[in-house]
Amino acid sequence: MTAAPRRIASAATLAVAALVALPILSVAWTALSAGLGPQWVHLWATVLPDYVINTLLLSVWVSLGVAVIGVSTAWLVTMCRFPGSALLRWALVLPLALPAYVVAFLYTDLLEYAGPVQAALRDAFEWRTRRDYWFPEIRSLGGAAFVMSMAFYPYVFLLARSAFLEQSHDAWEVSRTLGDSPLRAFRRLALPLAWPSVVVGIALAVMETVSDYGVVSFFSVPTLTNGLFNVWLVMGDRAAGAQIALLLLLFVMALVMVERRARARRAYFALSTRSRSAAPVTLRGWQAAAALAVCAVPVLLGFVWPVWRLAGLAVGYDGAAGPDFAAVVARSLGLAGAAAALTLVVGLGLAYAARLGLSRPARFAARIASFGYALPGAVLAIGVMIPFGAFDRVVGGTLRDQWGITTGLLLSGTVFALLSAYLVRFLTLSHGTLEAGLQRIRPSLDMAARTLGRGPAATLGRIHLPLLRGALVTAGLLVFVDVLKELPATLVLRPFDFETLATSVYTLASDERYGEAAAPALVLTLAGLIPAVLLSGLLGRRAGAAEPS
Amino acid sequence: MSAALDFIDVRHGYDRQIVLDGLSLHVPAGRVTCLLGPSGCGKTTLLRIAAGLERPWSGRVLLGGREVDGDGVHLPPEQRGIGFVFQDFALFPHLDVLGNVAFGIRSGHRADRQARARALLERLGIGDKADVHPHLLSGGQQQRVALARAMAPDPAVLLLDEPFSGLDTVLRRGVYEDLRNLLGQTGVTAVVVTHDPVEAMILGDSIVLMNQGRIEQQGAPEALYRRPENPFVMRFLGEANTLPAHRDGSDAVTPLGRYPAPAGDGPLCAMVRPERIAVSPAGGLTARVRASVFLGRAVRLHLDLDGLLLTAEVPADRLYGDGETVSVAVDPADLHLFPA
Amino acid sequence: MIHGRILKLAAMAAVGVAISLPAMAAGEVNVYSYRQPELIKPLFDAFTNQTGVKVNMVYAQAGLLERLKAEGANSPADMVLSSDMSRLLEVQEAGLAASVTSPALTANIPAQYRDPAGHWYGLTMRARVVYASKERVPAGKVVSYLDLARPEWKGRICTRPGDHPYNLGLIAGLIHRHGADKTRAWLLGVKANLAQKPQGNDRSQVKGINEGLCDVSLGNTYYMGRMLADPKEKAWADSVYLVFPDQKAGGTHVNVSGANVLKAAPNPANALKLLEFLSGAEAQKIYAEVNSEYPVKPGVPASAVVAGWGAFEADTASLAEIAGLQGEALRLVNETRFNDGP
């Protein structure tokens, strides 16, 4: 690249980094400039330790849950054949389609004291009150861990399964000929090799856990995110809220570091040569039954029952669907589509800048973007609001004073603010996917195109984009669905009269109007199904075909 | 249309590590020049600089007399009119063979371009593969597609980076001569990077032997083979026996006898290629056969010359028994004396 | 080629934005609302019908104040609708509320339900009462909030989390009346009596009573009216009766929902028009009939259902003073770890 375009590209990359960093920095600045007031002392003396402990506990439980479910099911459907294994191979991804807060309200409806399960038990055993028996409380930390494990285990499943698929069968056979039983070979070889991938999956699940607001608020679990929401947005204590946010950021940074190191190790473990993937073992009898049970339970609990229940609620709800329902659906889809397109363009730009040799600014921007993903939506929303509001005040004020033009809001309170928040939050998804896709395209292809007389832009258009089609679709859909489901930032930042599927589901469900909430929740789920199925399909194909060499 | 390629005092490297240290080289138009050398010697870097894929730290590059790299000048690869065949062929997996070959042809209508691409494929003997996608081709076929693609836009210079490393050994032999003939026919200026001296000698009208970012020797293949200027060149182009030597007046005394010494007064070493050692039944200098290996065309002998081990390769007219006594002699033209 | 694709993506983005943007009409008023859209939609519709002024709304349970602060003078919002007193004061204390007065407002809203300088106006009133099981709680068992801390209620009380603004309001009221120490003791007593960890909203507690989970709960009065109107929830409401505590000891804790007109309002005239409408007879009647709230405007009767619960003595302490104690109330809730449950 010659000097001038390089400088422009470098500046653009840094601008993206700045845009992504802005919300994080403004929260940090608010926290630090507020100082440690008496409120902070009170928080430490009372609830803050609880917030920290609950966040840690929840993270640990969810880690365990997603690791056990994700790894065992991935191993079984990849290495074994049993009745239903082909179906389960893709069905195990389906829970990804359901927003965790929807699962939360469905299980509450089922398992709370007034729900059908406890009512049936009371009828059956003639218990009269709560004091007559013990039943686990769904609205608790344990309940949240259960719901989140069910919602997030597909991250581990997908990554573990692709790691198992990539493992050389030769290594597996060597281990077997050296006298390892299949179980021992799994423990000594397959699991250690897949472990970095599993850790990446766990890290993603924990990021979702830490940033979750829907489930913990619904279950009244005082985590850092829940506390932050209460202290800052409900109680209006900006200083204390920002300080909790800072604590949360530290937590998130640790997670990002864990994830990054695991990814680096994963690359190291990846085999350079492709060899036969393993021939699956056919299970029979009780073994087949046990495998089926292990793999079917997460699908049943995490997808089949919730969707069945949603459908039932939606059908059973006799109130008219709001007249705005179609508008809400259209608005949600439009917003998610716009956000997906925006993140794709920026993500591709970043990945491409790195390929053109701007690796340092691009890596910097990408690193900041990965924090954005782990940032709780509420923090992000405030982080977007503060700088945008300041911009509006400065620019609007200048225009008003100099020329008497009243601008109103330029950025904040607009769809643009919302899109910026989505960009910051989900850029890493699109960038990561596109970067991985670009990395699979050998650099010699770029050079071949260049020596054949095509400039960088033409090379992108004629070589990279066609080869990246799969990655573009995947990245676009991932962002699309996550934007559809996104809750806290949308709640806080949305413009006037702006109801989305997610906000209406959450608003209705938190008011326990499940019947009304069911229809939008079902639409959300259906939209989420597309990428979930697509993801497992992609993985299946990758197991078969290799890139031509 | 072919063009000459000139490198003038080119310096380049990666991460502060110097790879090319002030290298100058003239590549004549219309000929095949092989850049030969061990891995890491800078030959591929030089090729990439020629293509514009790397921008040298300093120095100038001229393509057909036009400055393409120099002070404040860097012509991007797409504007240089060069063809590049990559080590891994770098075929575009999403395009079929015809699409790959036609990719770089910019002039003419679509049908025109396709016709030219087809003609080129016919000439390379893979006309029937036009509609196939690259991953279904054999290594040799992929190489031809890569070559056809690079040649399709009629480049002034064709650059080939280890064009045979993707092929297995058996396949290579036939391909060498095909390529040699093809390059000869088109009369294009070609620069081939290789680490295999045999490959270089088959393909190259001239060879540039590089080591550690510098040129050790350049010239016709047989000149390099027969008249190496230093031990590195001697060893790199083929097997060599190294013998002690010392000066005695204007002569050099070696275990194989006295030879005229080169000018100077430093210590010396003597080198001789195994096939240039004449072995006869008896008389003159005697050596004992420690082991003999039958190679088909030749017999390889491990000889003991007064405690010094020599390797010789002789015609397979007869076999030698272990312990047999033979006579050895080396023509003065075949014994190379270098400062040690 | 590449430009084509990027343009296409950009066009998609633009279309997405375009269809996501709500239409902005000329004669309009912009409301940030902490109150649920379904509660106030009928009121806005009536207002638009009458005046032709379009009402735009952003609803959020939290964060609107932060948003107003960030937007500053550029804020498009003309009015904030809040569900309780503390929020009304928050907006005033942040210096965002305009001081508005008009003869209509003064006539419609009694002095104790509005700021003397007109920074906030209460629009409806409700009481925070005790819901008691008809089956298991004989009348007269609970007469005071303080009763709930007595050991006889062990395992029998349900409530939403202690740090919800509704409970904070009640606790602040108790601090105002009895002092912090007594209130702390009360919180510990109630906490020990809880049937389960505080959770859900006021309505789900009544569901719990119906199911036998607990015998009494805390709730705002209008939930009763709304449950009675819902065919599915009527059974829950039918299983309880309302107790207005402290009738002889200072009165039942009440709170107001209300509105601030904002300093930065781009449509101050329409905002005043909306506020006058909301305090007027027609809107007050809708509040009463549809939402089962107590109208503030003298002469507008409560709905038949609400009137059926009987008249009650409301706490006469200053709403603003009580709201000022909410921070202290939150501290007590945190210190007693009320939300951990029994």
Coordinates of all heavy atoms in Angstrom, one line a residue, chain B residues 239-243 256 272-280 287-295 297-305 308-316 318 320 326-330:
Chain B
E239 N 27.8 -32.6 -4.9 CA 28.6 -33.2 -3.8 C 30.0 -32.9 -4.0 O 30.5 -32.7 -5.2 CB 28.4 -34.7 -3.9 CG 28.4 -35.4 -2.5 CD 28.2 -36.9 -2.7 OE1 27.6 -37.3 -3.7 OE2 28.7 -37.6 -1.8
A240 N 30.8 -32.7 -3.0 CA 32.2 -32.4 -3.1 C 33.1 -33.1 -2.0 O 32.6 -33.2 -0.8 CB 32.4 -30.9 -3.1
N241 N 34.3 -33.5 -2.3 CA 35.2 -34.0 -1.3 C 36.1 -32.8 -1.0 O 36.5 -32.0 -1.8 CB 36.1 -35.1 -1.9 CG 35.3 -36.3 -2.2 OD1 34.9 -37.0 -1.3 ND2 35.2 -36.7 -3.5
T242 N 36.3 -32.6 0.3 CA 37.2 -31.5 0.8 C 38.5 -32.2 1.3 O 38.4 -33.1 2.1 CB 36.5 -30.7 1.9 OG1 35.2 -30.3 1.4 CG2 37.3 -29.5 2.2
L243 N 39.6 -31.6 0.8 CA 40.9 -32.2 1.2 C 41.8 -31.1 1.7 O 41.6 -30.0 1.4 CB 41.6 -32.8 0.0 CG 40.8 -33.8 -0.8 CD1 41.4 -34.1 -2.2 CD2 40.7 -35.1 -0.1
L256 N 46.2 -35.7 -3.2 CA 46.1 -36.2 -4.5 C 47.3 -35.8 -5.4 O 47.3 -36.1 -6.6 CB 44.8 -35.7 -5.2 CG 43.5 -36.4 -4.6 CD1 42.3 -35.6 -5.0 CD2 43.4 -37.8 -5.0
V272 N 37.1 -31.6 -4.7 CA 36.9 -32.3 -6.0 C 35.6 -33.0 -6.0 O 35.1 -33.5 -4.9 CB 38.1 -33.3 -6.2 CG1 38.2 -34.3 -5.1 CG2 38.0 -33.9 -7.6
R273 N 34.9 -33.0 -7.1 CA 33.6 -33.7 -7.2 C 33.8 -35.2 -7.3 O 34.7 -35.6 -7.9 CB 32.8 -33.2 -8.3 CG 32.5 -31.7 -8.3 CD 31.2 -31.4 -8.9 NE 30.9 -30.0 -8.9 CZ 30.3 -29.4 -7.8 NH1 30.0 -30.1 -6.8 NH2 30.1 -28.1 -7.9
P274 N 32.9 -36.0 -6.7 CA 33.1 -37.5 -6.8 C 33.3 -38.0 -8.2 O 34.1 -38.9 -8.4 CB 31.9 -38.0 -6.1 CG 31.4 -36.9 -5.3 CD 31.8 -35.6 -5.9
E275 N 32.5 -37.5 -9.1 CA 32.5 -38.1 -10.5 C 33.7 -37.6 -11.2 O 34.0 -38.1 -12.3 CB 31.2 -37.7 -11.2 CG 31.1 -36.3 -11.7 CD 30.4 -35.4 -10.7 OE1 30.5 -35.8 -9.5 OE2 30.0 -34.3 -11.0
R276 N 34.5 -36.7 -10.7 CA 35.7 -36.2 -11.4 C 36.9 -37.0 -10.9 O 38.0 -36.6 -11.2 CB 35.9 -34.7 -11.2 CG 34.7 -33.9 -11.7 CD 34.1 -34.2 -13.0 NE 35.0 -33.9 -14.1 CZ 34.7 -34.2 -15.4 NH1 33.5 -34.7 -15.7 NH2 35.6 -33.9 -16.3
I277 N 36.8 -37.9 -10.0 CA 37.9 -38.7 -9.5 C 38.0 -39.9 -10.5 O 37.0 -40.7 -10.5 CB 37.7 -39.2 -8.1 CG1 37.7 -37.9 -7.1 CG2 38.8 -40.1 -7.7 CD1 37.4 -38.3 -5.7
A278 N 39.1 -40.0 -11.2 CA 39.3 -41.2 -12.1 C 39.8 -42.3 -11.3 O 40.8 -42.2 -10.5 CB 40.3 -40.8 -13.2
V279 N 39.1 -43.5 -11.4 CA 39.5 -44.7 -10.7 C 40.0 -45.7 -11.7 O 39.2 -46.0 -12.7 CB 38.4 -45.2 -9.8 CG1 38.7 -46.5 -9.2 CG2 38.0 -44.2 -8.8
S280 N 41.1 -46.3 -11.5 CA 41.6 -47.3 -12.4 C 42.2 -48.5 -11.6 O 42.4 -48.3 -10.4 CB 42.7 -46.7 -13.3 OG 43.6 -46.0 -12.6
A287 N 44.5 -46.3 -3.4 CA 43.5 -46.1 -2.3 C 42.8 -47.5 -2.1 O 42.8 -48.3 -3.0 CB 42.5 -45.1 -2.6
R288 N 42.2 -47.7 -0.9 CA 41.6 -48.9 -0.7 C 40.0 -48.7 -0.6 O 39.6 -47.7 -0.1 CB 42.0 -49.5 0.7 CG 42.0 -51.0 0.8 CD 43.0 -51.5 1.9 NE 42.8 -50.7 3.1 CZ 41.9 -51.0 4.0 NH1 41.0 -51.9 3.8 NH2 41.8 -50.3 5.1
V289 N 39.3 -49.6 -1.2 CA 37.8 -49.5 -1.2 C 37.3 -49.9 0.1 O 37.5 -51.1 0.5 CB 37.2 -50.4 -2.3 CG1 35.7 -50.3 -2.3 CG2 37.7 -49.9 -3.7
R290 N 36.7 -49.0 0.8 CA 36.1 -49.4 2.1 C 34.7 -49.9 2.0 O 34.2 -50.8 2.7 CB 36.0 -48.2 3.1 CG 37.4 -47.6 3.3 CD 37.9 -47.6 4.7 NE 36.9 -47.5 5.7 CZ 37.0 -46.8 6.8 NH1 38.0 -46.0 6.9 NH2 36.1 -46.8 7.7
A291 N 33.9 -49.3 1.0 CA 32.6 -49.8 0.7 C 32.2 -49.4 -0.7 O 32.7 -48.4 -1.2 CB 31.6 -49.2 1.7
S292 N 31.4 -50.2 -1.3 CA 30.9 -49.7 -2.6 C 29.4 -49.9 -2.7 O 28.8 -50.8 -2.1 CB 31.6 -50.5 -3.7 OG 30.9 -51.8 -3.9
V293 N 28.7 -48.9 -3.3 CA 27.3 -48.9 -3.4 C 26.9 -48.9 -4.9 O 27.3 -48.0 -5.6 CB 26.6 -47.7 -2.7 CG1 25.1 -47.8 -2.7 CG2 27.2 -47.7 -1.2
F294 N 26.1 -49.8 -5.3 CA 25.7 -49.9 -6.7 C 24.4 -49.0 -6.9 O 23.4 -49.1 -6.2 CB 25.3 -51.3 -7.1 CG 24.8 -51.5 -8.5 CD1 25.7 -51.2 -9.5 CD2 23.5 -51.8 -8.8 CE1 25.3 -51.4 -10.9 CE2 23.1 -51.9 -10.1 CZ 24.0 -51.7 -11.1
L295 N 24.5 -48.0 -7.8 CA 23.4 -47.0 -8.0 C 22.7 -47.2 -9.3 O 21.9 -46.4 -9.6 CB 24.0 -45.6 -7.9 CG 24.6 -45.1 -6.6 CD1 25.2 -43.7 -6.8 CD2 23.6 -45.2 -5.5
R297 N 23.2 -46.4 -12.7 CA 24.0 -45.8 -13.6 C 25.5 -45.7 -13.2 O 26.4 -45.5 -14.0 CB 23.5 -44.3 -13.8 CG 22.2 -44.2 -14.6 CD 21.8 -42.8 -14.6 NE 21.9 -42.2 -13.2 CZ 21.5 -41.0 -12.9 NH1 21.1 -40.1 -13.9 NH2 21.5 -40.5 -11.7
A298 N 25.7 -45.7 -12.0 CA 27.0 -45.5 -11.5 C 27.3 -46.4 -10.2 O 26.3 -47.0 -9.7 CB 27.3 -44.0 -11.2
V299 N 28.5 -46.4 -9.8 CA 28.9 -47.0 -8.6 C 29.5 -46.0 -7.7 O 30.3 -45.2 -8.2 CB 29.9 -48.2 -8.8 CG1 30.4 -48.8 -7.5 CG2 29.2 -49.3 -9.6
R300 N 29.1 -46.0 -6.5 CA 29.6 -45.0 -5.5 C 30.6 -45.7 -4.6 O 30.3 -46.8 -4.0 CB 28.4 -44.5 -4.7 CG 28.7 -43.3 -3.9 CD 27.3 -42.9 -3.4 NE 27.4 -41.9 -2.3 CZ 27.6 -40.6 -2.6 NH1 27.7 -40.2 -3.9 NH2 27.8 -39.8 -1.6
L301 N 31.8 -45.2 -4.6 CA 32.9 -45.8 -3.8 C 33.3 -45.0 -2.7 O 33.5 -43.7 -2.8 CB 34.1 -46.1 -4.8 CG 33.9 -47.0 -5.9 CD1 35.2 -47.0 -6.8 CD2 33.6 -48.4 -5.5
H302 N 33.4 -45.6 -1.5 CA 34.0 -44.9 -0.4 C 35.5 -45.4 -0.3 O 35.7 -46.6 0.0 CB 33.2 -45.2 0.9 CG 31.9 -44.6 0.8 ND1 31.6 -43.3 1.0 CD2 30.7 -45.2 0.5 CE1 30.3 -43.0 0.8 NE2 29.7 -44.2 0.5
L303 N 36.4 -44.5 -0.5 CA 37.8 -44.8 -0.6 C 38.6 -44.3 0.6 O 38.3 -43.3 1.1 CB 38.4 -44.2 -1.9 CG 37.7 -44.6 -3.2 CD1 38.2 -43.8 -4.4 CD2 37.9 -46.1 -3.5
D304 N 39.6 -45.1 0.9 CA 40.5 -44.7 2.0 C 41.9 -44.4 1.4 O 42.5 -45.3 0.8 CB 40.6 -45.9 3.0 CG 41.5 -45.5 4.2 OD1 42.3 -44.6 4.1 OD2 41.3 -46.1 5.3
L305 N 42.2 -43.1 1.4 CA 43.5 -42.7 0.8 C 44.4 -42.3 1.9 O 44.3 -41.1 2.5 CB 43.2 -41.5 -0.2 CG 44.4 -40.9 -0.8 CD1 45.1 -41.8 -1.8 CD2 44.0 -39.6 -1.5
L308 N 42.6 -40.9 4.7 CA 41.6 -39.8 4.3 C 40.5 -40.4 3.6 O 40.7 -41.3 2.7 CB 42.4 -38.8 3.4 CG 41.7 -37.5 3.2 CD1 41.8 -36.6 4.4 CD2 42.3 -36.9 1.9
L309 N 39.2 -40.1 3.9 CA 38.1 -40.7 3.3 C 37.7 -39.8 2.0 O 37.5 -38.6 2.1 CB 36.9 -40.7 4.2 CG 37.0 -41.9 5.2 CD1 35.7 -41.9 6.1 CD2 37.1 -43.2 4.5
L310 N 37.5 -40.5 0.9 CA 37.1 -39.9 -0.3 C 35.9 -40.6 -0.9 O 35.8 -41.8 -0.7 CB 38.2 -40.0 -1.4 CG 39.4 -39.1 -1.4 CD1 40.3 -39.4 -2.6 CD2 38.9 -37.6 -1.5
T311 N 35.0 -39.8 -1.5 CA 33.9 -40.4 -2.2 C 34.1 -40.2 -3.7 O 34.4 -39.1 -4.1 CB 32.5 -39.8 -1.7 OG1 32.5 -39.9 -0.3 CG2 31.4 -40.5 -2.4
A312 N 33.9 -41.3 -4.4 CA 34.0 -41.2 -5.9 C 32.8 -41.9 -6.5 O 32.2 -42.8 -6.0 CB 35.3 -41.9 -6.3
E313 N 32.5 -41.4 -7.7 CA 31.4 -42.0 -8.4 C 31.9 -42.4 -9.8 O 32.4 -41.6 -10.5 CB 30.2 -41.1 -8.6 CG 29.0 -41.5 -7.8 CD 27.8 -40.6 -7.9 OE1 27.3 -40.3 -9.0 OE2 27.4 -40.1 -6.8
V314 N 31.8 -43.7 -10.1 CA 32.5 -44.1 -11.3 C 31.4 -44.9 -12.2 O 30.4 -45.3 -11.6 CB 33.7 -45.1 -11.0 CG1 34.7 -44.3 -10.3 CG2 33.2 -46.3 -10.3
P315 N 31.7 -45.0 -13.5 CA 30.7 -45.8 -14.3 C 30.5 -47.2 -13.8 O 31.5 -47.8 -13.2 CB 31.4 -45.8 -15.7 CG 32.3 -44.6 -15.7 CD 32.8 -44.5 -14.3
A316 N 29.3 -47.7 -14.0 CA 29.0 -49.0 -13.4 C 29.5 -50.1 -14.3 O 28.8 -51.2 -14.4 CB 27.5 -49.1 -13.1
R318 N 32.0 -52.1 -13.9 CA 32.4 -53.2 -13.1 C 32.0 -53.0 -11.6 O 31.7 -51.9 -11.2 CB 33.9 -53.5 -13.2 CG 34.7 -52.4 -12.9 CD 36.2 -52.8 -12.6 NE 36.3 -53.5 -11.4 CZ 37.5 -53.5 -10.7 NH1 38.5 -52.9 -11.2 NH2 37.6 -54.1 -9.5
Y320 N 33.2 -53.4 -7.5 CA 34.4 -53.4 -6.7 C 34.2 -54.2 -5.4 O 33.1 -54.1 -4.8 CB 34.8 -52.0 -6.3 CG 35.2 -51.2 -7.6 CD1 34.3 -50.6 -8.4 CD2 36.6 -51.1 -8.0 CE1 34.6 -49.9 -9.5 CE2 36.9 -50.4 -9.1 CZ 35.9 -49.7 -9.9 OH 36.3 -49.1 -11.0
V326 N 42.8 -49.7 -5.5 CA 42.6 -49.1 -6.8 C 43.5 -47.9 -6.9 O 44.1 -47.4 -5.9 CB 41.1 -48.6 -7.0 CG1 40.2 -49.8 -7.1 CG2 40.7 -47.7 -5.9
S327 N 43.6 -47.4 -8.1 CA 44.4 -46.2 -8.3 C 43.5 -45.0 -8.5 O 42.5 -45.1 -9.2 CB 45.3 -46.4 -9.5 OG 45.7 -45.2 -10.1
V328 N 43.8 -43.8 -7.9 CA 42.9 -42.6 -8.1 C 43.8 -41.5 -8.7 O 44.9 -41.4 -8.4 CB 42.3 -42.1 -6.8 CG1 41.3 -43.2 -6.3 CG2 43.3 -41.8 -5.8
A329 N 43.1 -40.7 -9.6 CA 43.8 -39.5 -10.2 C 42.7 -38.4 -10.4 O 41.6 -38.8 -10.7 CB 44.5 -39.9 -11.5
V330 N 43.1 -37.2 -10.3 CA 42.2 -36.0 -10.6 C 42.9 -35.1 -11.5 O 44.0 -34.6 -11.3 CB 41.8 -35.3 -9.3 CG1 41.0 -34.1 -9.6 CG2 41.1 -36.3 -8.4

